[in-house]
Amino acid sequence: MKRSREAATNAGKKTEVNETIKASMSNAYHGVALIDKEYVIQQFNSRFEGYFSYITGITPRRGLSVINSLFPKDEESGFSLLEKTLEKRDSTNEVSIKEGDFSIRLEPALNRKNNLIGAFLYLINQKETDNNEPPQTQMNFQALLEISGDAVIVFSPEGKPIYVSPSVETVLGYTPEETMLLDMYSSLHPDDVPGNQKVMEKAILNPGIPIKGHRSRIIHKDGSYHLYDSTVVNLLNDPSIGGIVDNIKEVTEPTSFGGSEGQFSNLYMKAVEDSKIGVWEIDLTSGTSVRNRIHDQIFGYNEQPAQWDLPTLLQHIHMADRSAVKEIFEAAKADGLFDFEARVIWPNQSIHWIALKGTYVKSPETKTEKLSGSVVDITLRRNSFQALLNNESRLKSIIDNISEGLVVADKAGRLLYWNTAASKMHDFSSLQSPPKSFTELLKYFKLEQLNGKYLPISKWPLPRLLNNENVDGLEVRVRSIKNRWAKIFRYNGGSFVDNEGNVIYFLTISDKTELSDLKKRLGNNEERFLDAFHASPVALCITSSKDAICLEINKSAEELLGYTYEDYAGRAILELNGISLAEIQSIFNQKSLSSKPSESELHIRTKQGRKKLILFSVEKITLNEEECRLTVFMDITKDR
């Protein structure tokens, strides 16, 4: 329904414009204005003001109708263009105006509740756009980050920093190079992790919309927690950025807490003390250290010990854990990070549990090496869970005898327990303990539906449990980001209430990777067949009967085709080698009609880009009463 000219010529009700929209418009390369549902200007940037004045001869102002000013000779076209955006919530293509020197583009403007508040109207100077090399979008964004007083970190979809602004050293204390090695979630106060996780998930689901971050405590390089605000915007789809931008600003305004600067400092220090988190730094070069009072209490001291260096720390680690902790610290010199749980012995010989995490930094200028981080006493949690295992005979029996993986979590998403089977399934060793939180888990794995489509984080097994959704026989493909494997896991889950009234969630995990599942169901003869299959010097592949999906491939075939089983997982064989899926299925189906294998030639391309001519045959086989296809490949490139 078209709006009346009277409504379009009068100043409409002022549309609420939040600070993030203002900031986005101010930093935009093109001229841009926010117009409300009555086609009336509510906000605009300086470029829009200059372009608009040149095009119309009128200085733009709040409350001015864009219909009368930009489309005075063809109001019907103006109405049509604007209604497409406002009524259909759809962006428009660029429409030329002013003899083609300028163009207009419209995009719907949504607030944080996803309600339509109007439209962004872009005025694009075609001459400037055509003459700029390289594209100004990236240059302006880079310049914005370089001059910003806030710390700006751009994260990849996996949560790894891909850009850090120079100002990060002023805000967080770390150099950009040190920040690139930090795990920001590990640097957060544990109580602030869930809130930040929700903000990040919201940003992922709302591309391009600035999301006000969760006020958080982050470990500064000085070893203490500082308070920060952040704004997150998902710009993964912007080719000049390709990441999630996190703008971090330290909270220093005393008025935020209703008192003077001294009162704020006292409140802040009290918050750090009340958090029961020890912060520390050990200079490995000089053997000196800096710690807060909580740190010493966690190791059993009411008064500060005379000396505290790395050997002293290791002496307090329980003998059974000491060797592994030494190796973890050594490994940190390579990747810069450490995170583990271990037992410590107090001076009174009592045993306690700690969770210790932090970073290793070596300064090229001063040649100093430092370990720094945080430490938390988790004795109560570990003892409570052990008591739960001891008291809950039914759960204890499951854990002791189960051949499946088992992971236990609390309602905050903390992963309390991984049994041996679950750790092995996910390739975690004694030196690399499994993640201790769901947020940390996101760094290691990606989950997909079995058809290869992206699985939203909210639909992962644990979030489903936490949202009281059913997890019964859920099968997904799990991809390891670090080790590059893909497996199919089946999840079942549930919850129970412990003796203290806490809700505990558990997930059982079965490895249903097609080859693994096939092997479990094969008889002795078929097991011997698979042994011969993998040992064969001939390139062999087993595929499904209908769609030629690769179920298994031996080493010889991997070397010939250039791709591994992990590459082909969930795909048709040869699909990665430049052969279309339709052609593959046509060839395999045609050959499957014959009772005897027949040979064919095919030109393929390997992963390394080499062209090869292969001779192959397809034969029907039956494994565990299931019809499959056995394909034999031979390289005949040199014969031609």
Side-chain angles (χ1 to χ4, degrees):
M1 181 180 70
K2 296 179 180 178
R3 292 161 176 78
S4 67
R5 294 189 182 187
E6 180 180 358
T9 55
N10 294 330
K13 182 180 178 181
K14 182 179 177 181
T15 300
E16 181 180 355
V17 183
N18 62 40
E19 294 300 317
T20 52
I21 289 180
K22 290 180 181 178
S24 299
M25 292 172 59
S26 297
N27 296 322
Y29 173 61
H30 299 298
V32 59
L34 174 66
I35 61 175
D36 64 16
K37 297 179 181 179
E38 303 299 334
Y39 315 135
V40 170
I41 297 174
Q42 294 293 340
Q43 188 77 21
F44 53 89
N45 66 1
S46 57
R47 283 183 178 269
F48 182 91
E49 181 178 7
Y51 295 164
F52 188 93
S53 299
Y54 175 81
I55 295 169
T56 65
I58 303 171
T59 300
R61 67 181 187 278
R62 187 189 301 274
L64 181 68
S65 166
V66 296
I67 292 290
N68 291 348
S69 52
L70 286 175
F71 305 94
K73 298 180 180 180
D74 191 359
E75 292 183 356
E76 191 66 20
S77 297
F79 275 116
S80 176
L81 187 68
L82 292 161
E83 285 172 352
K84 178 182 179 182
T85 300
L86 294 177
E87 296 186 5
K88 297 183 179 180
R89 293 195 178 198
D90 191 13
S91 300
T92 65
N93 296 322
E94 293 184 16
V95 177
S96 295
I97 59 173
K98 191 69 175 177
E99 288 123 17
D101 291 342
F102 288 84
S103 62
I104 290 176
R105 187 176 77 246
L106 288 157
E107 294 179 0
L110 309 175
N111 63 14
R112 293 179 181 175
K113 296 182 179 179
N114 206 37
N115 296 324
L116 185 74
I117 60 173
F120 290 112
L121 189 154
Y122 291 86
L123 289 180
I124 302 168
N125 187 329
Q126 295 296 338
K127 290 183 178 179
E128 290 185 3
T129 301
D130 294 340
N131 294 333
N132 280 329
E133 294 179 3
Q136 286 293 316
T137 305
Q138 186 168 358
M139 294 172 62
N140 283 347
F141 180 73
Q142 182 79 7
L144 175 66
L145 298 186
E146 298 298 329
I147 65 174
S148 172
D150 300 341
V152 180
I153 303 176
V154 182
F155 294 95
S156 70
E158 295 77 28
K160 181 180 179 181
I162 57 177
Y163 176 85
V164 178
S165 67
S167 54
V168 72
E169 190 165 7
T170 303
V171 179
L172 293 174
Y174 303 96
T175 65
E177 294 75 21
E178 292 169 344
T179 308
M180 291 289 284
L181 298 175
L182 284 179
D183 176 1
M184 295 305 292
Y185 277 109
S186 295
S187 302
L188 285 169
H189 188 288
D191 293 343
D192 296 333
V193 170
N196 276 274
Q197 179 183 340
K198 290 180 181 178
V199 169
M200 192 62 70
E201 292 179 4
K202 185 175 180 180
I204 291 174
L205 296 174
N206 296 274
I209 300 177
I211 307 296
K212 184 66 176 177
H214 184 72
R215 180 164 287 190
S216 311
R217 290 156 288 182
I218 304 176
I219 298 176
H220 191 276
K221 191 177 180 180
D222 63 14
S224 64
Y225 276 98
H226 290 212
L227 195 63
Y228 298 91
D229 276 342
S230 68
T231 299
V232 180
V233 58
N234 176 4
L235 298 177
L236 290 168
N237 294 329
D238 189 324
S240 67
I241 301 171
I244 300 172
V245 181
D246 193 357
N247 191 87
I248 304 171
K249 180 179 182 180
E250 186 166 7
V251 177
T252 57
E253 307 88 15
T255 53
S256 300
F257 290 84
S260 66
E261 185 174 353
Q263 288 173 327
F264 166 72
S265 178
N266 292 336
L267 286 170
Y268 174 71
M269 292 307 298
K270 185 177 185 302
V272 173
E273 292 292 319
D274 291 344
S275 69
K276 304 300 182 184
I277 295 178
V279 291
W280 57 277
E281 180 179 84
I282 295 177
D283 188 323
L284 300 178
T285 308
S286 65
T288 59
S289 64
V290 179
R291 299 102 58 200
N292 68 350
R293 181 175 59 87
I294 300 299
H295 170 279
D296 295 337
Q297 291 177 349
I298 289 173
F299 283 88
Y301 294 94
N302 292 322
E303 296 183 2
Q304 190 177 67
Q307 180 178 351
W308 194 269
D309 52 15
L310 183 57
T312 305
L313 168 61
L314 292 172
Q315 287 175 6
H316 286 73
I317 302 294
H318 193 286
M319 182 64 72
D321 300 335
R322 192 175 301 167
S323 177
V325 171
K326 286 182 179 179
E327 293 185 33
I328 289 172
F329 280 135
E330 284 299 316
K333 293 182 179 181
D335 59 28
L337 300 173
F338 54 88
D339 183 357
F340 61 87
E341 295 181 0
R343 287 163 288 185
V344 296
I345 302 176
W346 280 17
N348 63 8
Q349 300 305 303
S350 59
I351 298 175
H352 298 258
W353 278 90
I354 63 168
L356 193 146
K357 63 177 64 177
T359 59
Y360 165 85
V361 177
K362 183 175 182 179
S363 172
E365 294 84 9
T366 62
K367 307 299 182 182
T368 57
E369 297 178 79
K370 293 182 179 181
L371 292 170
S372 60
S374 62
V375 60
V376 181
D377 189 325
I378 58 170
T379 305
L380 180 61
R381 172 166 68 82
R382 293 291 301 225
N383 289 348
S384 296
F385 184 67
Q386 189 59 47
L388 174 66
L389 295 182
N390 295 335
N391 295 332
E392 296 286 339
S393 58
R394 183 178 179 184
L395 180 61
K396 183 70 163 56
S397 176
I398 293 174
I399 292 175
D400 287 342
N401 298 287
I402 194 170
S403 60
E404 297 177 311
L406 177 67
V407 177
V408 180
D410 63 13
K411 63 180 180 181
R414 289 187 289 261
L415 305 179
L416 305 178
Y417 178 81
W418 294 65
N419 73 347
T420 302
S423 294
K424 288 183 177 179
M425 284 180 186
H426 294 81
D427 273 1
F428 292 114
S429 64
S430 58
L431 292 181
Q432 185 184 22
S433 58
K436 300 174 181 63
S437 69
F438 177 71
T439 303
E440 187 182 353
L441 191 72
L442 300 177
K443 299 187 303 180
Y444 291 94
F445 303 104
K446 294 180 179 179
L447 266 62
E448 301 173 352
Q449 302 176 48
L450 295 185
N451 59 11
K453 292 184 178 180
Y454 167 74
L455 186 67
I457 294 175
S458 61
K459 295 302 181 183
W460 287 30
L462 183 56
R464 286 193 180 191
L465 279 183
L466 298 179
N467 291 328
N468 297 317
E469 295 181 29
N470 182 46
V471 179
D472 185 11
L474 173 65
E475 290 194 1
V476 298
R477 179 174 290 108
V478 180
R479 292 191 179 275
S480 170
I481 297 173
K482 180 178 181 181
N483 298 326
R484 310 294 293 175
W485 51 253
K487 300 179 182 179
I488 295 176
F489 288 164
R490 174 179 290 174
Y491 294 90
N492 289 283
S495 64
F496 59 89
V497 179
D498 66 13
N499 294 334
E500 297 180 0
N502 300 311
V503 180
I504 303 296
Y505 299 89
F506 65 89
L507 284 168
T508 60
I509 311 168
S510 303
D511 188 343
K512 294 297 181 182
T513 308
E514 294 188 63
L515 174 62
S516 175
D517 187 42
L518 186 62
K519 284 184 176 179
K520 291 176 183 177
R521 295 181 286 129
L522 288 176
N524 292 332
N525 291 335
E526 290 166 337
E527 286 181 356
R528 285 195 292 271
F529 166 78
L530 284 176
D531 290 339
F533 172 88
H534 285 287
S536 174
V538 178
L540 301 172
C541 174
I542 300 174
T543 67
S544 60
S545 61
K546 294 182 180 179
D547 45 18
I549 297 296
C550 178
L551 302 181
E552 187 51 38
I553 184 172
N554 69 0
K555 191 68 175 179
S556 300
E558 288 182 341
E559 293 173 354
L560 172 62
L561 303 179
Y563 291 92
T564 65
Y565 169 75
E566 286 74 16
D567 295 327
Y568 283 118
R571 295 176 176 268
I573 192 67
L574 300 181
E575 185 179 356
L576 298 175
N577 299 94
I579 312 301
S580 70
L581 180 60
E583 184 178 357
I584 294 168
Q585 293 178 346
S586 174
I587 293 172
F588 275 66
N589 289 336
Q590 183 178 3
K591 288 183 174 296
S592 298
L593 297 176
S594 174
S595 59
K596 295 182 179 180
S598 57
E599 296 179 344
S600 295
E601 295 180 2
L602 200 61
H603 289 276
I604 65 166
R605 186 184 297 273
T606 68
K607 189 175 184 178
Q608 295 75 25
R610 300 189 185 96
K611 294 181 179 180
K612 290 187 177 182
L613 179 63
I614 62 170
L615 182 69
F616 71 99
S617 64
V618 180
E619 181 180 356
K620 293 181 183 180
I621 61 170
T622 301
L623 294 177
N624 194 41
E625 301 180 355
E626 292 185 11
E627 186 178 290
C628 304
R629 299 289 182 267
L630 176 65
T631 306
V632 181
F633 298 99
M634 183 178 297
D635 187 355
I636 59 172
T637 308
K638 296 181 180 180
D639 299 335
R640 297 299 175 92

